[in-house]
Amino acid sequence: MFRPAAMRHVLIQVLKEDLPQASLTLADTGVFNPDHRESDEHRLQEIPGDRYRQIYRQAASRLDKITEHFPEVPEFTLTELQVVTERELDALNNRLGSLWQECSVCQEDLRRADDELRLVEQLQGALDSFANLNVDLSLLQGEKAFLELRIGVVPQINLQRMEEALGLAKFLVYPFLRSEGSTHVVVVGPKGEQVEHVETVLESAGFRPLPVPAELRDQPAQARLSLADRRERAEADRLAVAARIAKRAAETEDFIRLARTRLALAEPYVNLANAARSSSQVAVISGWIPARELERVEQALTRSLQLPFILTSRRPTARERPQVPTLLAPNRLMSAFTTLVTQYGVPRYGEIDPSAVFAVTFVLMFGMMFGDVGHGAVIAAAALWKRRLLGKFTAFAVAAGLSSVTFGFIYGSIFGYEHLLHPLWMSPLSDPILMLKIALGWGVGFLLLMSALCIYNRVMEANWLEAWLGPNGVVNVALYLGLLWGGYNSFTGAGFGALPALLVFGSLAALAAFKWHESDAPRGERVMVVLVESFETIMGSVSGTLSFLRVAAFSLNHVALAVAVFTLADMLGPTGHWIMVVFGNLFILILEGGIVAIQVLRLEYYEGFTRFYSGDGREFRPLRVNRGAAPVARAPNRSGFPLIDGT
């Protein structure tokens, strides 16, 4: 069981000219979380570095836009921490602005080439519709003085009827392309009073107009050649622009690397934001530092700052505890469990970090519910095989697999076979009632542990009322124990018992009085609230305990599924038998294994965390220096953009 690191609130007083260096040093330590709250601890109200931040954001935005168009973004690595002055940042921003203008021209040329290619593709697609017309396509465009001309598509089934109807109006229908139930047609006839009748016929026949693009001016064969030439020119233009971009990217590689380096060095001062306040000469930085790191931070500031500074620290006050960031203790084995914990929520400062409790109980419950030597070994081996893919979750999967192996030996099961191993204890199906009793006992112990953690958290917060009378407080635990005691007596035939009844009713009375005191509702409504919440408390205790019956249910289900697989396998021939055994075990391993993992998570989250863990804390987010990555071997700088300050 781990507790989050103890935090201290610090005020660092420096001379204003040392503020950028102080921010860079604090970021280098990686343990300073800026405090952006309004503070009454000092009277300085000015937030320094507004113009610096504006320049930085513009430069970072320009760099992002520039590198979007580059084939590869040059990597960088920081070897020395050096403050970037406002003048240097401004010079960098101006250079990036010039480069961005050139990139914008290239991008516009690239867009025009892409638009031309899309247009040519559309025209080529349209031309396919008129390929069978041996006529200058310009003759089919625009209004005619004496003729009504329509070109379009009509369903094949309506073509003959449309021809007959239009023939009465002295209109001709010329089909020129047939395809999958439709026909492309040219409809032509004299202008006159019959036009409205023609429109009605075309509409009723499902005629869809097919306009001839204005760009198609020749016969289809000639137009196709012209479009092919346009496409070649557009592709050549696009390749030329892409080559121009690639050339400039190579020429400016060193500059881009330098820009990324300087922006990385400027970032800590920018991210400090309103955590720093200043007057004409003095600046104050406020934030949070783990108590164990105070001395190291002070030593780092002493080495890096040329001028005097003052660092003062204090413990968090009771009122600001919800604002204190939580730094979970780093642990490689626990990192996967910590990630799953933080999916529920970050621990509030001072709360117990439930990662260790979660790890132990999750692994044990998974093994109990999915106990099989073979299946567990496959899970552990697969996790080790795919460790690069799983990353920090490798330890999580291996632990679950080994737990399954351990309980497989206890149950005497390997890939569903129960006669190959002698069980260290027994198979779950040998005594299902005993398995249910053990599951209930596990549930009782689990819930009592969660309640104990809840009481501990409330005591550490000095919230004594909640520790005694709140959900899962001391009185609630007394009620739960009274119900368990009386329930056990009733089960054994001894009756509920006077002492358990006294404990239950006394606890309920205390809880009811607490709820009555808390409520501001009218008397009648207050009575209903007390009754409903008292009933809900009892039912929550009972249902929470019964939820753990699934621990036994899935251990029984695992054996039952194996029995079903072998029953089906025995009904088949030798080849079919082994095919069924293999695929049946895969089914159990993948489907049931996944369901068991989900069910264990459900018990952890809803029967565990909800009882003691608020999960509304603030994650510790320290200032950090982006040190980049190892540089990639690239061509040397070749007369591109000049670098800053002659470097």
Side-chain angles (χ1 to χ4, degrees):
M1 185 184 307
F2 299 105
R3 288 186 54 78
M7 304 298 293
R8 295 291 183 268
H9 189 271
V10 297
L11 289 177
I12 305 170
Q13 301 177 53
V14 298
L15 292 178
K16 193 174 180 180
E17 59 191 279
D18 258 352
L19 189 56
Q21 179 63 60
S23 64
L24 190 58
T25 302
L26 291 172
D28 186 44
T29 64
V31 294
F32 177 79
N33 191 132
D35 184 3
H36 298 290
R37 300 174 299 161
E38 295 290 335
S39 176
D40 297 330
E41 294 185 64
H42 53 77
R43 299 180 180 179
L44 307 180
Q45 297 301 319
E46 178 188 345
I47 301 175
D50 281 342
R51 185 170 182 275
Y52 192 94
R53 279 186 287 276
Q54 291 172 4
I55 298 171
Y56 171 88
R57 294 188 182 104
Q58 188 177 47
S61 176
R62 285 173 171 173
L63 182 60
D64 287 342
K65 292 175 182 177
I66 290 167
T67 53
E68 282 178 5
H69 308 302
F70 281 14
E72 185 178 352
V73 180
E75 298 289 350
F76 74 97
T77 182
L78 283 181
T79 57
E80 182 181 357
L81 297 183
Q82 183 178 358
V83 171
V84 178
T85 65
E86 187 174 305
R87 175 178 169 275
E88 291 171 330
L89 194 61
D90 199 26
L92 174 69
N93 186 39
N94 291 334
R95 291 292 184 187
L96 288 171
S98 300
L99 182 55
W100 168 236
Q101 288 179 359
E102 185 173 343
C103 280
S104 298
V105 172
C106 291
Q107 182 64 13
E108 183 62 25
D109 292 343
L110 198 62
R111 185 192 63 78
R112 278 197 294 266
D114 287 339
D115 289 345
E116 176 69 3
L117 280 172
R118 279 193 293 270
L119 177 59
V120 170
E121 288 175 359
Q122 292 170 1
L123 292 174
Q124 287 176 329
L127 185 60
D128 291 339
S129 300
F130 309 112
N132 292 349
L133 283 173
N134 190 19
V135 64
D136 189 335
L137 296 176
S138 63
L139 298 177
L140 303 178
Q141 301 169 0
E143 292 289 331
K144 309 301 177 185
F146 303 105
L147 290 176
E148 285 293 337
L149 185 67
R150 302 285 190 278
I151 185 168
V153 183
V154 67
Q156 179 71 37
I157 194 172
N158 298 335
L159 178 60
Q160 183 177 354
R161 188 173 56 185
M162 187 185 76
E163 287 179 330
E164 293 171 354
L166 291 177
L168 298 176
K170 299 181 180 181
F171 270 68
L172 298 177
V173 178
Y174 173 63
F176 64 89
L177 179 64
R178 300 179 188 275
S179 62
E180 295 185 1
S182 62
T183 303
H184 291 62
V185 297
V186 175
V187 178
V188 62
K191 282 186 177 290
E193 298 178 355
Q194 298 291 335
V195 174
E196 291 185 4
H197 172 69
V198 171
E199 293 289 350
T200 303
V201 171
L202 292 176
E203 184 177 350
S204 63
F207 178 87
R208 289 186 294 105
L210 188 66
V212 181
E215 290 86 350
L216 303 179
R217 308 295 298 177
D218 298 317
Q219 290 194 356
Q222 185 61 38
R224 192 175 300 280
L225 292 175
S226 298
L227 289 176
D229 289 341
R230 284 181 66 177
R231 184 183 187 93
E232 287 182 8
R233 289 195 301 270
E235 288 176 344
D237 290 344
R238 194 185 192 289
L239 287 174
V241 175
R244 203 161 83 235
I245 292 174
K247 180 174 180 292
R248 294 303 285 148
E251 291 172 344
T252 58
E253 179 180 332
D254 288 349
F255 169 68
I256 295 299
R257 182 177 290 113
L258 179 65
R260 295 188 68 197
T261 302
R262 293 202 170 174
L263 288 177
L265 290 169
E267 187 178 16
Y269 184 35
V270 172
N271 289 341
L272 202 59
N274 63 344
R277 304 281 178 155
S278 68
S279 65
S280 58
Q281 298 294 330
V282 179
V284 173
I285 307 171
S286 60
W288 301 95
I289 296 177
R292 63 174 180 267
E293 300 288 354
L294 278 173
E295 184 177 352
R296 182 167 73 89
V297 171
E298 189 165 9
Q299 290 173 354
L301 290 171
T302 301
R303 289 192 300 269
S304 64
L305 299 184
Q306 300 297 321
L307 300 171
F309 72 94
I310 300 174
L311 187 151
T312 58
S313 66
R314 60 170 176 78
R315 295 177 183 274
T317 63
R319 291 183 58 185
E320 67 181 349
R321 286 179 73 91
Q323 307 297 324
V324 182
T326 300
L327 174 61
L328 300 179
N331 188 299
R332 287 186 61 188
L333 293 177
M334 288 291 173
S335 60
F337 296 98
T338 299
T339 299
L340 290 172
V341 167
T342 54
Q343 292 300 309
Y344 184 89
V346 178
R348 187 185 297 174
Y349 179 71
E351 280 190 333
I352 289 174
D353 173 12
S355 299
V357 175
F358 173 69
V360 173
T361 54
F362 181 95
V363 168
L364 285 175
M365 279 195 284
F366 185 87
M368 283 188 276
M369 297 165 72
F370 198 70
D372 187 284
V373 175
H375 296 156
V378 169
I379 292 173
L384 292 173
W385 179 39
K386 292 294 184 181
R387 57 187 177 275
R388 290 188 178 180
L389 179 64
L390 291 175
K392 62 184 177 183
F393 283 93
T394 301
F396 171 82
V398 169
L402 294 180
S403 178
S404 182
V405 169
T406 302
F407 279 90
F409 281 112
I410 293 173
Y411 298 155
S413 175
I414 177 169
F415 289 117
Y417 290 98
E418 297 201 345
H419 59 276
L420 300 180
L421 289 175
H422 182 71
L424 298 178
W425 181 46
M426 71 170 191
S427 170
L429 277 181
S430 300
D431 194 342
I433 300 300
L434 178 59
M435 293 299 298
L436 292 172
K437 290 179 180 178
I438 291 172
L440 281 177
W442 169 267
V444 169
F446 184 90
L447 295 179
L448 287 175
L449 174 62
M450 298 302 109
S451 296
L453 295 178
C454 175
I455 294 169
Y456 178 82
N457 282 336
R458 301 294 85 81
V459 169
M460 293 304 295
E461 295 173 0
N463 191 342
W464 300 103
L465 190 62
E466 287 289 323
W468 279 96
L469 295 168
N472 303 293
V474 174
V475 175
N476 238 306
V477 171
L479 171 63
Y480 183 58
L481 291 174
L483 290 172
L484 289 175
W485 188 3
Y488 178 78
N489 288 343
S490 299
F491 182 76
T492 56
F496 196 88
L499 288 178
L502 180 62
L503 188 59
V504 168
F505 286 113
S507 302
L508 279 175
L511 292 174
F514 177 61
K515 296 296 181 184
W516 182 277
H517 177 73
E518 273 193 329
S519 177
D520 294 328
R523 184 179 297 272
E525 184 178 338
R526 192 182 297 187
V527 171
M528 286 297 299
V529 168
V530 169
L531 290 176
V532 169
E533 293 198 2
S534 298
F535 178 75
E536 185 180 359
T537 300
I538 295 174
M539 293 307 299
S541 300
V542 175
S543 63
T545 306
L546 295 179
S547 288
F548 285 86
L549 289 176
R550 71 190 69 204
V551 175
F554 274 95
S555 67
L556 298 170
N557 180 66
H558 187 74
V559 180
L561 278 176
V563 170
V565 168
F566 287 113
T567 301
L568 292 174
D570 291 340
M571 297 168 62
L572 305 174
T575 303
H577 175 92
W578 289 110
I579 291 175
M580 176 57 69
V581 168
V582 171
F583 282 96
N585 272 279
L586 283 175
F587 174 82
I588 293 172
L589 185 62
I590 296 172
L591 184 63
E592 191 197 356
I595 293 173
V596 165
I598 292 171
Q599 290 298 322
V600 176
L601 278 176
R602 187 249 175 225
L603 287 172
E604 293 285 353
Y605 283 165
Y606 296 106
E607 302 300 340
F609 289 178
T610 56
R611 296 177 182 272
F612 79 98
Y613 183 52
S614 62
D616 59 356
R618 293 174 176 266
E619 186 178 355
F620 184 75
R621 297 182 181 275
L623 285 180
R624 294 192 185 278
V625 178
N626 177 11
R627 294 186 175 275
V632 179
R634 300 285 294 273
N637 186 55
R638 296 183 295 275
S639 63
F641 286 98
L643 302 182
I644 303 172
D645 299 335
T647 57

